[in-house]
Amino acid sequence: MSVQERKQRERADRERLIVATARELAEQQGWDAVTTRRLAERIEYSQPVLYSHFRGKREIIGAVALEGAAEMASAVRAAASAADDPRTRVTALARTYLEFAERNPAVYDAMFQLDGGLAFAHEDTPEPLKDAFAALLESLGEVAGDGVHPGLFTEVFWAALHGLATLTRAGRLPPEETERRVKLLVDRLAVV
């Protein structure tokens, strides 16, 4: 391995450490606790080293969001692929999405609530975000119904899931009714 390859590997390792540490700190104490100074202390590097990877907290949030989008896409695809029919696939997708939001609140916030400097629904949208939407579209497109654009249907279904996740986390909806909400969402929106 060349010196250049070793340096690139070390740089990538440091970047992963920064993102993992930010994510861990945010999950434990919230995003307000994530500062470049605290991150530098936790990873035992100087702040200038941290700034050589990320220009600031906004870019770190973006990196966490991209990592979370990849994880969510993988989880949704795994749940959907284990299902035998469209209704079961959509139900599994909805449950998995809501469980992801519940298990990873700081990551979910980085993905959808905080400014990570990422463009959504644009040509320059980062690939992990496009892929997360594609993971939803793969199952939801087949239940959109005649004459309904699959992408628009996926956006509406996703918006409903996001609303359920956000309102439940905020204590506005009782969590014990989540399963009934998923059933209602699938029964009323999905054409199967």
Side-chain angles (χ1 to χ4, degrees):
M1 174 181 298
S2 73
V3 172
Q4 182 66 20
E5 289 171 330
R6 183 183 51 78
K7 285 183 179 185
Q8 287 174 342
R9 188 187 73 231
E10 289 171 354
R11 180 172 176 75
D13 288 346
R14 268 193 315 273
E15 194 164 300
R16 280 190 293 278
L17 177 63
I18 293 166
V19 171
T21 304
R23 182 176 175 164
E24 179 183 312
L25 186 57
E27 291 292 2
Q28 291 171 351
Q29 299 177 30
W31 278 104
D32 287 342
V34 180
T35 65
T36 54
R37 193 170 108 254
R38 287 184 84 186
L39 284 174
E41 289 171 4
R42 282 211 175 185
I43 64 171
E44 298 178 345
Y45 283 100
S46 67
Q47 280 184 290
V49 169
L50 195 137
Y51 282 116
S52 75
H53 292 273
F54 299 99
R55 286 182 281 192
K57 183 175 176 177
R58 182 178 185 219
E59 283 190 5
I60 294 168
I61 290 169
V64 170
L66 293 176
E67 188 176 271
E71 291 171 10
M72 187 181 76
S74 177
V76 164
R77 282 189 176 107
S81 70
D84 295 335
D85 60 81
R87 176 177 297 283
T88 308
R89 262 190 297 286
V90 173
T91 301
L93 174 150
R95 285 181 185 138
T96 300
Y97 183 97
L98 295 172
E99 288 167 4
F100 180 88
E102 182 183 351
R103 279 192 326 272
N104 304 285
V107 173
Y108 192 81
D109 285 347
M111 292 168 64
F112 301 119
Q113 303 290 99
L114 302 173
D115 179 10
L118 303 173
F120 282 80
H122 290 87
E123 287 182 22
D124 60 341
T125 297
E127 204 51 47
L129 298 179
K130 288 179 182 178
D131 189 53
F133 185 79
L136 298 174
L137 180 62
E138 290 162 11
S139 292
L140 294 171
E142 69 179 325
V143 297
D146 292 337
V148 177
H149 187 281
L152 290 176
F153 178 79
T154 299
E155 289 172 352
V156 170
F157 201 94
W158 172 31
L161 288 174
H162 176 68
L164 290 174
T166 303
L167 291 169
T168 301
R169 277 189 51 211
R172 305 291 196 274
L173 297 175
E176 61 272 8
E177 295 293 332
T178 298
E179 190 58 35
R180 287 180 61 197
R181 287 187 199 97
V182 167
K183 182 176 178 356
L184 181 63
L185 184 62
V186 172
D187 288 348
R188 296 292 186 244
L189 289 183
V191 178
V192 288

CSV table of all heavy atoms in Angstrom, one decimal, residues 90-114:
chain,number,residue,atom,x,y,z
A,90,VAL,N,-46.4,-3.3,1.6
A,90,VAL,CA,-46.6,-1.9,2.0
A,90,VAL,C,-46.7,-1.8,3.5
A,90,VAL,O,-46.2,-0.8,4.1
A,90,VAL,CB,-47.8,-1.3,1.2
A,90,VAL,CG1,-48.2,0.0,1.7
A,90,VAL,CG2,-47.6,-1.3,-0.3
A,91,THR,N,-47.4,-2.7,4.1
A,91,THR,CA,-47.5,-2.7,5.6
A,91,THR,C,-46.1,-2.9,6.2
A,91,THR,O,-45.8,-2.2,7.2
A,91,THR,CB,-48.5,-3.9,6.0
A,91,THR,OG1,-49.7,-3.7,5.4
A,91,THR,CG2,-48.6,-3.9,7.5
A,92,ALA,N,-45.3,-3.8,5.7
A,92,ALA,CA,-44.0,-4.0,6.2
A,92,ALA,C,-43.1,-2.7,6.0
A,92,ALA,O,-42.4,-2.3,6.9
A,92,ALA,CB,-43.3,-5.2,5.5
A,93,LEU,N,-43.3,-2.1,4.9
A,93,LEU,CA,-42.6,-0.8,4.6
A,93,LEU,C,-42.9,0.2,5.6
A,93,LEU,O,-42.1,0.9,6.2
A,93,LEU,CB,-42.9,-0.4,3.2
A,93,LEU,CG,-42.4,1.0,2.7
A,93,LEU,CD1,-42.1,1.0,1.2
A,93,LEU,CD2,-43.3,2.1,3.1
A,94,ALA,N,-44.2,0.4,5.8
A,94,ALA,CA,-44.7,1.4,6.8
A,94,ALA,C,-44.2,1.2,8.2
A,94,ALA,O,-43.7,2.1,8.9
A,94,ALA,CB,-46.2,1.5,6.8
A,95,ARG,N,-44.3,-0.1,8.6
A,95,ARG,CA,-43.8,-0.4,10.0
A,95,ARG,C,-42.3,-0.2,10.1
A,95,ARG,O,-41.9,0.4,11.1
A,95,ARG,CB,-44.1,-1.9,10.3
A,95,ARG,CG,-45.5,-2.2,10.6
A,95,ARG,CD,-45.7,-3.7,10.9
A,95,ARG,NE,-47.1,-4.1,11.1
A,95,ARG,CZ,-47.6,-5.2,10.6
A,95,ARG,NH1,-46.9,-6.0,9.9
A,95,ARG,NH2,-48.9,-5.4,10.8
A,96,THR,N,-41.6,-0.6,9.1
A,96,THR,CA,-40.1,-0.4,9.1
A,96,THR,C,-39.8,1.0,9.2
A,96,THR,O,-38.9,1.4,9.9
A,96,THR,CB,-39.5,-1.1,7.9
A,96,THR,OG1,-39.9,-2.5,8.0
A,96,THR,CG2,-38.0,-1.0,7.9
A,97,TYR,N,-40.4,1.8,8.4
A,97,TYR,CA,-40.2,3.3,8.3
A,97,TYR,C,-40.4,3.9,9.7
A,97,TYR,O,-39.5,4.6,10.3
A,97,TYR,CB,-41.0,4.0,7.3
A,97,TYR,CG,-40.8,5.4,7.2
A,97,TYR,CD1,-40.0,5.9,6.2
A,97,TYR,CD2,-41.3,6.4,8.0
A,97,TYR,CE1,-39.7,7.3,6.0
A,97,TYR,CE2,-41.1,7.7,7.9
A,97,TYR,CZ,-40.3,8.2,6.9
A,97,TYR,OH,-40.0,9.5,6.8
A,98,LEU,N,-41.5,3.6,10.3
A,98,LEU,CA,-41.9,4.1,11.6
A,98,LEU,C,-41.0,3.6,12.7
A,98,LEU,O,-40.6,4.4,13.6
A,98,LEU,CB,-43.3,3.9,12.0
A,98,LEU,CG,-44.4,4.5,11.0
A,98,LEU,CD1,-45.8,4.0,11.3
A,98,LEU,CD2,-44.3,6.1,11.1
A,99,GLU,N,-40.6,2.4,12.6
A,99,GLU,CA,-39.6,1.8,13.6
A,99,GLU,C,-38.3,2.5,13.5
A,99,GLU,O,-37.6,2.7,14.5
A,99,GLU,CB,-39.5,0.3,13.4
A,99,GLU,CG,-40.8,-0.5,13.9
A,99,GLU,CD,-40.8,-1.9,13.4
A,99,GLU,OE1,-39.8,-2.4,12.8
A,99,GLU,OE2,-41.8,-2.6,13.7
A,100,PHE,N,-37.8,2.7,12.2
A,100,PHE,CA,-36.5,3.4,12.0
A,100,PHE,C,-36.6,4.8,12.7
A,100,PHE,O,-35.6,5.1,13.4
A,100,PHE,CB,-36.2,3.5,10.5
A,100,PHE,CG,-34.9,4.2,10.2
A,100,PHE,CD1,-33.8,3.4,10.2
A,100,PHE,CD2,-34.9,5.5,10.1
A,100,PHE,CE1,-32.6,4.1,9.9
A,100,PHE,CE2,-33.7,6.2,9.8
A,100,PHE,CZ,-32.5,5.4,9.8
A,101,ALA,N,-37.6,5.5,12.5
A,101,ALA,CA,-37.8,6.8,13.0
A,101,ALA,C,-37.7,6.8,14.6
A,101,ALA,O,-37.1,7.6,15.2
A,101,ALA,CB,-39.0,7.5,12.5
A,102,GLU,N,-38.4,5.8,15.1
A,102,GLU,CA,-38.5,5.7,16.6
A,102,GLU,C,-37.1,5.2,17.2
A,102,GLU,O,-36.7,5.8,18.2
A,102,GLU,CB,-39.5,4.6,17.0
A,102,GLU,CG,-39.7,4.5,18.5
A,102,GLU,CD,-40.7,3.4,18.8
A,102,GLU,OE1,-41.4,2.9,17.9
A,102,GLU,OE2,-40.8,3.0,20.0
A,103,ARG,N,-36.4,4.3,16.5
A,103,ARG,CA,-35.2,3.8,17.0
A,103,ARG,C,-34.0,4.8,16.8
A,103,ARG,O,-33.0,4.7,17.5
A,103,ARG,CB,-34.8,2.5,16.4
A,103,ARG,CG,-35.5,1.3,16.9
A,103,ARG,CD,-34.9,0.0,16.4
A,103,ARG,NE,-34.4,0.0,15.0
A,103,ARG,CZ,-35.1,-0.3,13.9
A,103,ARG,NH1,-36.4,-0.6,14.1
A,103,ARG,NH2,-34.5,-0.2,12.8
A,104,ASN,N,-34.1,5.6,15.9
A,104,ASN,CA,-33.0,6.5,15.5
A,104,ASN,C,-33.5,8.0,15.4
A,104,ASN,O,-33.4,8.6,14.4
A,104,ASN,CB,-32.5,6.1,14.1
A,104,ASN,CG,-32.0,4.7,14.1
A,104,ASN,OD1,-31.0,4.3,14.6
A,104,ASN,ND2,-32.9,3.9,13.4
A,105,PRO,N,-33.9,8.5,16.5
A,105,PRO,CA,-34.5,9.9,16.5
A,105,PRO,C,-33.6,11.0,16.0
A,105,PRO,O,-33.9,11.8,15.2
A,105,PRO,CB,-35.0,10.1,17.9
A,105,PRO,CG,-34.3,9.2,18.8
A,105,PRO,CD,-34.0,8.0,17.9
A,106,ALA,N,-32.3,10.9,16.4
A,106,ALA,CA,-31.4,12.0,16.0
A,106,ALA,C,-31.0,11.8,14.5
A,106,ALA,O,-30.9,12.8,13.8
A,106,ALA,CB,-30.1,11.9,16.9
A,107,VAL,N,-30.9,10.6,14.1
A,107,VAL,CA,-30.6,10.4,12.6
A,107,VAL,C,-31.8,10.8,11.8
A,107,VAL,O,-31.7,11.5,10.8
A,107,VAL,CB,-30.3,8.9,12.4
A,107,VAL,CG1,-30.2,8.6,10.9
A,107,VAL,CG2,-29.0,8.5,13.1
A,108,TYR,N,-33.0,10.5,12.3
A,108,TYR,CA,-34.3,10.9,11.6
A,108,TYR,C,-34.3,12.4,11.5
A,108,TYR,O,-34.7,13.0,10.5
A,108,TYR,CB,-35.5,10.3,12.3
A,108,TYR,CG,-36.7,10.4,11.5
A,108,TYR,CD1,-37.0,9.5,10.4
A,108,TYR,CD2,-37.6,11.5,11.7
A,108,TYR,CE1,-38.2,9.6,9.7
A,108,TYR,CE2,-38.8,11.6,10.9
A,108,TYR,CZ,-39.0,10.7,9.9
A,108,TYR,OH,-40.2,10.8,9.2
A,109,ASP,N,-34.0,13.1,12.6
A,109,ASP,CA,-34.0,14.5,12.6
A,109,ASP,C,-33.0,15.1,11.6
A,109,ASP,O,-33.2,16.0,10.9
A,109,ASP,CB,-33.7,15.1,14.0
A,109,ASP,CG,-34.9,15.0,14.9
A,109,ASP,OD1,-36.0,14.7,14.5
A,109,ASP,OD2,-34.6,15.2,16.2
A,110,ALA,N,-31.8,14.4,11.6
A,110,ALA,CA,-30.8,14.9,10.6
A,110,ALA,C,-31.3,14.7,9.2
A,110,ALA,O,-31.0,15.6,8.3
A,110,ALA,CB,-29.5,14.1,10.8
A,111,MET,N,-32.0,13.6,8.9
A,111,MET,CA,-32.5,13.4,7.6
A,111,MET,C,-33.6,14.3,7.2
A,111,MET,O,-33.7,14.8,6.0
A,111,MET,CB,-33.1,11.9,7.5
A,111,MET,CG,-32.0,10.9,7.6
A,111,MET,SD,-32.7,9.2,7.9
A,111,MET,CE,-33.6,8.9,6.4
A,112,PHE,N,-34.6,14.7,8.1
A,112,PHE,CA,-35.8,15.3,7.7
A,112,PHE,C,-36.1,16.6,8.5
A,112,PHE,O,-37.0,17.3,8.0
A,112,PHE,CB,-37.0,14.4,7.8
A,112,PHE,CG,-36.8,13.2,6.9
A,112,PHE,CD1,-36.8,11.9,7.5
A,112,PHE,CD2,-36.7,13.3,5.6
A,112,PHE,CE1,-36.6,10.8,6.7
A,112,PHE,CE2,-36.5,12.1,4.8
A,112,PHE,CZ,-36.5,10.9,5.4
A,113,GLN,N,-35.5,16.9,9.6
A,113,GLN,CA,-35.9,18.1,10.3
A,113,GLN,C,-34.8,19.2,10.3
A,113,GLN,O,-35.1,20.3,10.4
A,113,GLN,CB,-36.2,17.7,11.8
A,113,GLN,CG,-37.2,16.6,12.0
A,113,GLN,CD,-38.6,17.1,11.6
A,113,GLN,OE1,-39.1,16.9,10.5
A,113,GLN,NE2,-39.2,17.8,12.5
A,114,LEU,N,-33.5,18.8,10.3
A,114,LEU,CA,-32.5,19.7,10.4
A,114,LEU,C,-31.9,20.1,9.1
A,114,LEU,O,-32.0,19.3,8.1
A,114,LEU,CB,-31.4,19.1,11.4
A,114,LEU,CG,-31.8,18.7,12.8
A,114,LEU,CD1,-30.7,18.0,13.5
A,114,LEU,CD2,-32.3,20.0,13.5
